[in-house]
Amino acid sequence: MARTPLIAGNWKMNLDHLQAVAFVQKLHWTLKDAKHEDGSVEVAVFPPFTDIRTVQTLLDADKIPFALGAQDLSAQDSGAYTGEVSGAFLSKLDCGYVIIGHSERRQYHGETDEVVAAKVQAALRHGIVPVICVGETLEQREESGPTAVSVEQLRVALAGLPADADVVIAYEPVWAIGTGQVASPEQAEEVCGALRAVIGEVLGADAAERTRILYGGSVKAANIAAFMREPDVDGALVGGASLLVDEFAAIIRYQKHVGV
Ligand code: PGA
């Protein structure tokens, strides 16, 4: 079964709703000008919550074929949880995806593996595909090797899910995020392969075969093709480079320079 590559732009806390409109329109035009074949790669943008309604309206009105996602959601569905955003609200806004357990949430907001698991369940309750982020710090890599931390994080996140659960996994080594210190394609493949084995153990062979695993951490136009050549890397979760129209468009068009 061929997995459709997914190139996902995690804007983090950048671009207000007006800047978001200009950005999405420009990205769309840039891909059109380049005669990019829609559907060869799935493109998803993950704006801040305050932009989502605006971006949804734009994608809909201009028939722009990008998927829309949020950067987080509440583990709860409704109630007295000041400042939280329910998956129910996100699914009403046509959010097909939600990033869960990004290392910045784990680090700055104390999200544990158990919180991540609860949020994964919440996303699935509302028909939203969770993009489950895992990855090790440099100290953890030195202490327990390249795969142990990500494998354990993923086991907890997937526990108890049905075999047909629709999820995306993102392997993002913490030491490579926003640092310019990119993992090698071989390092990415080693962990992504181990994560696919975990999906197989927990959810079964079909899930392992169909689930997309992304690499994230200092992805750029100049290095995406090498990652995409690896058999267990099905796309990228892109931070900094997803805020630059030409750079992100070039990442999306990696198939044109995959042989380079
Ligand atoms: P980066 O961020 O591409 O800026 O390293 C990736 C991410 O945090 O998802």
Side-chain angles (χ1 to χ4, degrees), residues 8-12 99 102-104 133 170 172-182 215-220 236-243 251:
N10 173 14
W11 295 2
K12 310 192 179 185
I99 295 172
H102 190 280
S103 65
E104 288 152 16
C133 299
E172 299 206 305
V174 178
W175 46 272
I177 295 178
T179 58
Q181 193 194 338
V182 68
Y215 167 76
S218 297
V219 169
K220 301 199 172 10
L237 184 54
V238 187
S242 79
L243 299 168
I251 292 172

Side-chain angles (χ1 to χ4, degrees), residues 63-78:
K63 303 203 171 12
I64 299 175
F66 302 163
L68 182 59
Q71 298 174 16
D72 184 31
L73 88 174
S74 174
Q76 315 294 334
D77 292 340
S78 67

Side-chain angles (χ1 to χ4, degrees), residues 29 32 38 82 96 98 106 157 200 203 238:
W29 293 331
K32 276 204 139 172
D38 293 334
T82 301
V98 61
R106 293 178 189 260
L203 300 181
V238 187

Side-chain angles (χ1 to χ4, degrees), residues 148-161:
V149 169
S150 298
V151 159
E152 177 56 22
Q153 288 175 338
L154 187 60
R155 268 189 210 290
V156 179
L158 296 183
L161 297 190

